[in-house]
Every structure is written in structure tokens, then in C-alpha cells.
Amino acid sequence: MKVKRSEMWRAGVLLLFTGCVCASVPEEPADRTSPSDGYCSWITRAQPHGAGGRRESTSEFRLRVEGDPEHYQPGSTYRVTLYATNPAYFRGFTLIALKEGHNGDQEEDYAGNFQIIDEEDTQFMTSCPPAVTESTPRRRTRIQVFWTAPPSGHGCVLLKASIVQRKIISFQDEGSLTKRMCEKESLYGETTDKPLLDCCACGTAKYRVTFYGNWSEKLHPKDYPRRANHWSALIGASHSKNYILWEYGGYASEGVKQVAELGSPVKMEEEIRQKGDEVLTVIKMKAQWPAWQPLNVRAAPSAEFSVDRTRHLMSFLTMLGPSPDWNVGLSSEDLCTRECGWVQKVVQDLIPWDAGTDSGVSYESPNKSTAPQEKIRPLTSLDHPQSPFYDPEGGAITPVARLVVERIARKGEQCNIVPDNVDDIVADIAQEEKEEDDTPETCIYSNWSPWSACSSSTCEKGKRMRQRMLKAQLDLSVPCPHTQDFEPCIGPGCSDEDSSTCMMSEWITWSPCSVSCGSGLRSRERYVKQFPDDGFACTHPTEETEPCTVNEECSSSSCLVTEWGEWDACSATCGLGMKRRERMVKMPPSDGSICGAEVVEVEKCMMPECHTIPCLLSPWSDWSDCSVTCGKGTRVRQRMLKSAVELGECNEDLEQMEKCMLPECPMDCIMSEWSEWSECSKSCGKGHLLRTRMITLEPQFGGDPCPEVTQRKTCKIKKCNQGAGNNDERKRRKEDRKKRRNKQAGEETADELAGCKMKSWSGWTDCTKLCGGGIQERLMTAKKRFKNAQLTSCKDRKEIRACNVHPC
């Protein structure tokens, strides 16, 4: 049987889900791995060899499952890391997963599945397919793989590890190279938290989240609240794994409680914004009244948000109302992929969950606070016969909403840590970003310039640029796209196509500091992926070292302690008592002396004065109904004094009041007062008068619509003269003839009236409204009055007309 060179000397890290003693040794010849030896059992029966023989102390090597869980969720994936503390290192490893109590004789003895992260570092063993080993024998300080837990019913497992350092096999049945995990039991049948892996994606991604409410009388007919069904304002965020808005099995914060009971997102948004850099984007959508309408009547609400490497989780919640404390939402949805990219699309059907703060069982149950507060849990069809989701056969609840999260853009340099050359990187990006030329025909460009040199002079990733010029834009209404283009690249001599120079791998992550207290060193390594064809040696460095500091204040005689814990409850329920708090010693003094730091602190506490007899009170009554039928109001609860008044005065409150909030009240349209009537539009005959008013407040929440904003009525001043006219008219004509005879006709205008000379009409003023009916005015004033002019004939004139009468 032919075996790879790397397997001829391999020592391994054995991840064994078993209690047996296991080690990996230099691979045996083909006759030692025959079927008669059992399925991979030669590994579990092998004994350690080497110049140093067996070593039980392996404190410089550690095996870790990310998050250090004591339990595993069936079917979930975990990142497993084996690392050496500086200056230790190892050269080879092997990974195997076995069920507890089995020795690996059969294929069924193995639990879960491994996934390769870096093919340059790890591979599956040829002679034992479930095992993972090194790809190339070389000096290393860390390896990582993914392990997917087996289905439910496999019980506890043991993660065991052994390594080879030069020719010495380090092996250990227990301690730092052994990790025990047992299957996690589900609570209420809910989906437990997914393991939150560190995101390795580069740049940022922008998403659009759309909420489709399917909670309708057709799909959920039982007790459907026709009067006030709605979705509250949606509130959420994109955030890091250090912040949790809500989660199954956790307790609702005050912000979650206010969303769940009142539909108010104000406190929740305040809590989110207080998290500072742990949050990247606050996600908000408006409330929906009613809860469901066809999409051709009302578009589904949506919002946009961004994620990056540290804040790659998305959570939100919204209340379905009316309800006791029922919501739908997502908790810590991870948008970063294991391949160091961004998720393209997430579609999630949502069922309601209970916030654990109100004990109501139906949509319109009276308020009844849950004391003590319970954990958040999903509703089920067997919760209570009065529940609108009740099903005596225990069937699944029909989803009440669907959430769609779609990636709409990516910004910054995108990366993928699995590919190791520029061709793989470009191919990874090209899968999601089409390179079609979308240049409009109306934009005339020059040809692209040649690509610039790569911004990276090493084998680290960089980018290069090319440019073009916009020569003409034939249609100004059509925007022309960018004139610069970028693509990822790596430095010269790093491409597989350039075989005349060295090609180096990426740097491995920095090792832990060489000391646990004070100043030390840390290092990182890389290796030669390809030597030059001309036979020359590579001169690029393969190892780097830099100083590091751990707790500058520590010394050989000092010790490290944790932060103080929370204070315990007061030992007395009334009067004077005591309370205490503790902290732990993280690291004792290195010189072996006793840690002198205080680890327990005690202080006095004062509770309300004890009233054993004078204040014998009944329990609080239920909260009353809200004092209003809509909007903000108050509610009260009361209790009775049971003890006799003669025993003394009781100062305890017998009534409590708190604020409450119901759906917003309808607000009718509010109008201003009518303006004065305008002058008649005609100086004789029939005309019309106008008056207008303004909309002060638009109707809201279903209030009455706005009435008319313009009114008009007819007016009649006097009959217009049809014949020779009266004396004034004859006098005016006589004066006109006189003026013409005196050759003054050129100096007068048609705007003259009897006895005066008028200026021309002014221009029309701007309309008082853009729509809904406004008015315009223009004026004519007297320029000159003659001595014989009557007062009424030289009066200033004003005309008014309607404008912008189209509806808004």
C-alpha cells in the first residue's frame, strides 16, 4: 500500500470521543493496517515511540473548542483549535472522533464529521478516512478544523489530543489535551443558540430586510381581533456577538418588555444605542395598521442595514397586537459565512414567542404580570385551550410572518481566507459580482488604461486600479457610471504563474505571549509554497517575533484577581442586615507566596423599617383597565389594610399607578379660519368672490379627512352701460377728445379713469398654496389726480383670482 510522505512520520492530535488511551505514531506498513486489525483501530491501539518516549506533561499544548462549551447541540458546527504556547511548536497531528465507550473497530464507532478549513495545512488520512492529519510536515504552532456534532442520541463525547514535537510524542489521557462535551438537552423544544464563530469576511455588506406579515383572519381565524389588529414598530440592530437583544431561554430586558406589552420601541432603541461600538446599524420600520393587507394595496415594509467583520449578527423583534406579550423576531442571525464571505439571502418563516412578562393566554386577555418573570420561549399549540394557536393534536403553529434578508451591496475589499492565490480570490468575488458592462449608450468613454502596479509589494493581498475618461454625455438625464475600476491582487513573485521566484504562504496567527504576566515575546510563521525553478533558495523570512505585554502591573509577588461580582441580596427583609460580594484569584503570585488581595467584601444594608403588626396587607389586586381607549393613559391597582387601625399607623402605599399605552387615537384634520372674502372679480355685471383656508394638521391614524379649502360665491355690482353712457361717461369722452386735440394722447394710457391717471396693473403675486386651491392678487394704483377728480373715481384697484385648484 502506497502512503504519503507526510503520513510516514505523522504524530497526531487525536480528537477521540471515547475514554480509551489513544495515540498517533509513525504510520505502520500496509500489512499492519490490514482489515484484520479493524477499522482504524491500529491508531487507537498504538503506543508512543520516539527518543523521548511518553510524556504526560503537555501544559505547553492546549486543545480548545471555541466558546469552551460543556455541551454540544446535535448537528451544530464548532471550531476546534490545537495550539502551542510560545516557544513550543509541533510538526504533525491526526484528528479522530469516536463515540464514548467505543474503540474504533467499526465505522459506526465514529461520531460527527470533520471539515477542512485550510487544505494547505490539513487533509483526511488516506489509511483512515475519518481522521484528519497534516498536509505538509513542517513546524507549526496552531491548527484549526470544523467539527459537526452527530445527531441527537449520541450522549457524551471526549475530545482527546496528542502531538509530535520533533520525534517526541506528547500524549495525555486527561488535562489540557482532553475536552469532554455532552449532548445539550432542548428547552421547551426550542432551537438553541447556534455557535457564534469569529467572522473572517473582509469589507462590509449592505442588506435590505423586508417584513411580510401573514397574521390574518384567513390563516388564523380563532379569536382573531378584527378591531385593533396590528404589528408594532419593528426595532432591531446589526451587532457583535458580545450583545444579545433577546434569546430563547433568556430573560426579557425592560426594552423587550415594553415592545412585547406596549408595542413601544423607545426603550429598546435606547438600550441598543447605549451599546456603542457593539452595534453598527439600528434597524427600524413603522407600525402596520391593520396587521395584514394585500401587497397590491400596501407594500411590505423594509429597511436597510450594514454588517462588518465584528458586527455580523442581525436581531429584531416586533409585537403582534393586541396580545399579552407576544412577538416575532430573529435572534443573532449570522450573515457571515464560514468561507469568509457574506450570506446572499435569508428567508425565515416566523412563529410568535412569549416574552415571559405577562400571563395572558389570548389576544385580549386582561393584563396580568408574570411574577417571577419567566424565560423567553416560543409559543406552542398545546399551551392553553383558550390560546388562539391551540391544537389538541399538538400540530405546528402556522407562521404569522416571513422575513426576507437580501444582500444588496458589498463595499471595500472582499476576501476569502481559504483561497491562497490571486486567481482563487478573483474567482470567489466574480461568483457574486457580475462583470457585465452596464455602460449606457449615451455615455462615450475612452478605452481603459493598463492596470496599475499592485498596492502590495509582499504576498499580502492588495489592489490595483485602471482608469478611463468620459468624453461625452449625450443625455444629461442618464447618469454615467464610474471612471475608475479596482480589483484585488497580490505582490510580485507570489502568483502560481510566476515560477521563477519564491511563493510564500500567508502568515499564521500570532502565537500567545510567552509569559502570563509582564513582558515577553510572541511569534508567527509562514512557509515556502513554491521554490524557484532555477534551484536558488528563498530569502524571504519564514518567522517573525515581536514583544508582547500581559498585565503591566503584575510582579512576581503580586496576584491577579477578577472584577468584583454583584452584591448578594440583603440578609434581612426589613431593618438592618448584611450583604456580601466575591471575586476570584485568576493567577497566584509566581514566587509561590499567598495572594494578599481581598476576595470577599461585606457591608451593612438597610431595608424598610419592620412593621409586623400595624401593616398587615392583602395582596395587590390586578391592574385596572387603562384610563383611555387609545393613546397614553394610566392604570391602578390596590390592596387592603387587614390589621386594625388601633395597632398603629401604617405608611405603606395602598394604591399604585403606572402608565399604559394603547393604539394611537384617531386625529381628525384641523383647518385654519376662513380668510376674508375677496373683492368682486368684475367691476360691473356678475362676478365672483373667493375665500380660502389652510390645512393646519393632516388626519392621522384613521381620523376624518380634510374638507374643502376654497369657497366662492357670485357677486353683482351694477349693470354694465350699453349705450352712450351717463354724464360721467360723456364727461370722460369729452376730456379724452380735448386731450387728443391738445396732442397729449401719447402721454396718457388706457388705464386713465375720469379725473385721474392710473399706473399699469402690477404682476400677479405668487399663489398662496401649491395645491388644494389658493389665491393670487394684482394692484392698480393712482399715478396722478386732476383737480376736478372725484374721490371715488381715483381709488386704488385690486383683482383676486383662484390658482392651483388641483387636489394635493
Side-chain angles (χ1 to χ4, degrees):
M1 170 180 165
K2 184 178 179 180
V3 294
K4 293 185 179 181
R5 176 173 173 267
S6 64
E7 294 182 1
M8 292 300 296
W9 68 280
R10 171 177 56 254
V13 178
L14 300 184
L15 300 185
L16 303 179
F17 295 93
T18 178
C20 64
V21 176
C22 308
S24 176
V25 298
E27 185 157 323
E28 302 293 337
D31 57 354
R32 293 289 301 275
T33 59
S34 62
S36 62
D37 283 339
Y39 188 85
C40 297
S41 60
W42 61 274
I43 296 178
T44 62
R45 294 200 305 271
Q47 298 298 321
H49 298 283
R54 184 185 184 95
R55 294 173 56 190
E56 294 296 338
S57 176
T58 57
S59 59
E60 67 269 33
F61 305 108
R62 295 198 174 273
L63 179 68
R64 182 174 183 266
V65 178
E66 187 169 27
D68 297 318
E70 295 181 358
H71 300 84
Y72 68 86
Q73 173 67 27
S76 295
T77 300
Y78 301 86
R79 187 191 298 265
V80 180
T81 304
L82 177 75
Y83 63 91
T85 58
N86 192 286
Y89 63 90
F90 55 95
R91 295 184 179 276
F93 55 88
T94 303
L95 312 177
I96 296 181
L98 294 177
K99 301 176 184 177
E100 185 177 22
H102 295 72
N103 56 15
D105 289 338
Q106 301 177 2
E107 184 177 0
E108 292 76 15
D109 293 349
Y110 294 82
N113 297 287
F114 287 111
Q115 299 175 39
I116 302 299
I117 294 180
D118 187 354
E119 293 182 354
E120 296 290 341
D121 217 21
T122 55
Q123 65 178 0
F124 289 102
M125 184 183 292
T126 305
S127 55
C128 184
V132 178
T133 185
E134 77 283 344
S135 297
T136 306
R138 64 177 178 83
R139 180 174 172 172
R140 50 173 54 84
T141 58
R142 176 186 299 259
I143 64 99
Q144 290 184 336
V145 295
F146 286 131
W147 177 74
T148 301
S152 179
H154 284 72
C156 296
V157 298
L158 289 177
L159 302 171
K160 296 182 67 67
S162 67
I163 60 175
V164 168
Q165 186 183 26
R166 297 186 185 276
K167 293 184 179 181
I168 301 174
I169 296 181
S170 298
F171 184 81
Q172 194 169 354
D173 290 341
E174 297 179 354
S176 61
L177 293 178
T178 299
K179 176 69 176 179
R180 185 174 188 270
M181 297 171 62
C182 294
E183 181 178 342
K184 183 174 182 180
E185 297 181 0
S186 62
L187 179 66
Y188 302 114
E190 79 276 18
T191 302
T192 55
D193 296 338
K194 294 178 288 187
L196 298 178
L197 305 178
D198 289 334
C199 179
C200 54
C202 296
T204 63
K206 188 174 184 180
Y207 286 87
R208 178 181 294 111
V209 53
T210 307
F211 182 83
Y212 296 93
N214 299 326
W215 179 44
S216 63
E217 188 172 13
K218 181 178 180 181
L219 295 179
H220 303 86
K222 183 179 178 182
D223 301 331
Y224 187 77
R226 297 182 178 179
R227 180 179 62 88
N229 62 86
H230 68 283
W231 293 104
S232 73
L234 183 147
I235 183 71
S238 57
H239 57 91
S240 73
K241 64 180 181 181
N242 298 324
Y243 174 45
I244 298 176
L245 275 74
W246 69 272
E247 63 177 340
Y248 287 136
Y251 290 97
S253 66
E254 183 60 29
V256 173
K257 179 181 178 181
Q258 289 196 15
V259 174
E261 295 188 7
L262 304 177
S264 172
V266 177
K267 182 65 177 177
M268 187 76 253
E269 182 176 355
E270 179 182 330
E271 291 181 2
I272 293 173
R273 295 190 183 277
Q274 287 176 350
K275 292 301 177 178
D277 291 340
E278 301 296 340
V279 173
L280 182 59
T281 308
V282 178
I283 303 171
K284 297 193 291 184
M285 298 183 199
K286 293 182 179 181
Q288 298 181 75
W289 294 77
W292 180 86
Q293 280 187 328
L295 293 179
N296 60 352
V297 176
R298 182 184 67 196
S302 63
E304 294 181 359
F305 66 95
S306 297
V307 292
D308 60 17
R309 177 177 288 191
T310 58
R311 294 158 294 188
H312 52 94
L313 306 176
M314 178 267 194
S315 302
F316 85 95
L317 69 157
T318 177
M319 178 197 75
L320 67 160
S323 70
D325 58 346
W326 299 343
N327 306 263
V328 298
L330 284 184
S331 176
S332 299
E333 182 69 25
D334 197 347
L335 298 175
C336 181
T337 69
R338 294 189 181 92
E339 294 76 25
C340 303
W342 298 110
V343 172
Q344 178 68 38
K345 187 174 184 179
V346 175
V347 179
Q348 186 71 48
D349 288 323
L350 307 174
I351 63 170
W353 48 268
D354 191 307
T357 61
D358 192 291
S359 300
V361 297
S362 63
Y363 290 129
E364 300 183 272
S365 294
N367 293 323
K368 185 178 181 181
S369 297
T370 302
Q373 183 174 337
E374 296 179 352
K375 295 180 178 180
I376 295 174
R377 65 173 183 87
L379 296 180
T380 72
S381 59
L382 294 175
D383 284 339
H384 195 280
Q386 295 182 10
S387 168
F389 306 105
Y390 180 72
D391 180 1
E393 297 181 359
I397 294 179
T398 302
V400 296
R402 169 172 287 187
L403 192 81
V404 177
V405 182
E406 295 181 282
R407 195 185 71 211
I408 57 177
R410 293 186 297 182
K411 296 182 179 179
E413 179 187 359
Q414 303 296 310
C415 67
N416 187 320
I417 65 169
V418 178
D420 223 348
N421 58 63
V422 68
D423 296 328
D424 290 340
I425 298 167
V426 174
D428 177 65
I429 298 176
Q431 290 178 2
E432 294 177 317
E433 295 185 354
K434 298 181 180 179
E435 297 182 350
E436 297 178 359
D437 185 7
D438 56 353
T439 302
E441 295 181 355
T442 56
C443 299
I444 309 301
Y445 287 94
S446 66
N447 293 328
W448 284 108
S449 68
W451 286 105
S452 67
C454 189
S455 62
S456 171
S457 59
T458 67
C459 291
E460 301 288 340
K461 300 186 188 75
K463 59 183 178 181
R464 59 180 185 170
M465 181 190 72
R466 62 178 181 174
Q467 296 178 315
R468 60 180 177 178
M469 294 182 60
L470 178 62
K471 293 184 174 181
Q473 186 174 1
L474 304 181
D475 187 350
L476 296 179
S477 64
V478 178
C480 292
H482 56 272
T483 58
Q484 292 183 331
D485 190 21
F486 297 86
E487 74 171 16
C489 60
I490 53 179
C494 299
S495 173
D496 288 334
E497 298 177 357
D498 189 356
S499 59
S500 62
T501 56
C502 290
M503 186 168 69
M504 308 297 293
S505 71
E506 298 290 338
W507 286 104
I508 299 173
T509 307
W510 287 103
S511 67
C513 197
S514 60
V515 297
S516 57
C517 181
S519 299
L521 294 173
R522 65 175 187 171
S523 63
R524 64 177 183 174
E525 296 179 332
R526 63 178 178 177
Y527 62 94
V528 178
K529 292 181 62 178
Q530 178 179 299
F531 287 91
D533 289 343
D534 54 13
F536 284 93
C538 288
T539 59
H540 298 300
T542 58
E543 185 173 2
E544 285 185 346
T545 303
E546 71 174 18
C548 57
T549 302
V550 180
N551 191 15
E552 297 178 345
E553 301 178 357
C554 67
S555 65
S556 61
S557 61
S558 63
C559 56
L560 296 179
V561 293
T562 63
E563 297 292 332
W564 284 107
E566 298 291 334
W567 286 103
D568 293 340
C570 192
S571 60
T573 57
C574 62
L576 182 64
M578 304 294 291
K579 62 179 181 179
R580 70 194 300 268
R581 61 178 181 175
E582 298 179 352
R583 59 181 176 179
M584 303 292 291
V585 176
K586 294 174 62 177
M587 186 179 71
S590 58
D591 58 6
S593 60
I594 298 176
C595 182
E598 296 289 341
V599 294
V600 178
E601 190 174 21
V602 180
E603 71 175 25
K604 297 178 181 179
C605 54
M606 178 65 72
M607 302 298 287
E609 184 178 355
C610 298
H611 294 285
T612 54
I613 296 178
C615 286
L616 183 60
L617 301 169
S618 68
W620 285 105
S621 66
D622 292 336
W623 287 102
S624 67
D625 293 335
C626 198
S627 60
V628 297
T629 58
C630 60
K632 296 180 180 179
T634 58
R635 60 178 186 173
V636 297
R637 65 176 182 177
Q638 299 172 332
R639 59 182 175 181
M640 303 291 292
L641 178 64
K642 291 186 176 180
S643 55
V645 178
E646 294 78 8
L647 294 177
E649 182 180 1
C650 179
N651 296 323
E652 298 293 331
D653 292 333
L654 299 180
E655 183 175 275
Q656 287 184 344
M657 178 182 296
E658 71 173 11
K659 297 178 181 179
C660 54
M661 179 180 287
L662 294 177
E664 296 286 352
C665 299
M667 299 181 65
D668 298 337
C669 178
I670 299 179
M671 309 292 293
S672 67
E673 296 295 329
W674 286 105
S675 66
E676 296 294 333
W677 287 102
S678 67
E679 293 187 4
C680 191
S681 61
K682 298 289 183 67
S683 58
C684 63
K686 291 184 179 180
H688 60 266
L689 306 175
L690 284 177
R691 68 173 182 175
T692 61
R693 57 181 175 179
M694 309 290 289
I695 297 176
T696 305
L697 178 65
E698 297 284 353
Q700 301 182 39
F701 310 112
D704 292 340
C706 295
E708 60 183 354
V709 296
T710 305
Q711 286 185 349
R712 60 188 296 169
K713 64 180 181 179
T714 58
C715 57
K716 185 175 182 180
I717 305 300
K718 59 183 178 181
K719 290 184 178 181
C720 295
N721 293 328
Q722 301 296 328
N726 53 22
N727 293 333
D728 289 338
E729 183 68 18
R730 288 194 297 270
K731 184 182 295 184
R732 185 184 66 81
R733 293 180 178 178
K734 184 177 180 180
E735 290 178 354
D736 288 345
R737 287 192 297 271
K738 183 177 180 181
K739 290 175 183 178
R740 286 193 297 271
R741 286 194 301 268
N742 293 333
K743 299 182 180 180
Q744 295 177 350
E747 300 176 4
E748 302 297 331
T749 68
D751 293 326
E752 290 184 10
L753 297 176
C756 63
K757 181 179 181 181
M758 305 297 292
K759 294 182 180 179
S760 301
W761 282 106
S762 66
W764 289 104
T765 62
D766 293 336
C767 193
T768 58
K769 294 188 65 176
L770 297 176
C771 59
I775 57 174
Q776 291 177 297
E777 297 179 350
R778 68 173 182 175
L779 297 174
M780 176 187 287
T781 58
K783 183 177 182 181
K784 182 178 179 181
R785 289 184 173 86
F786 300 116
K787 293 182 180 181
N788 61 344
Q790 297 181 5
L791 183 61
T792 56
S793 62
C794 286
K795 184 171 61 174
D796 292 344
R797 297 177 61 189
K798 179 171 70 174
E799 284 189 354
I800 298 176
R801 70 178 182 184
C803 57
N804 293 341
V805 295
H806 58 276
C808 293

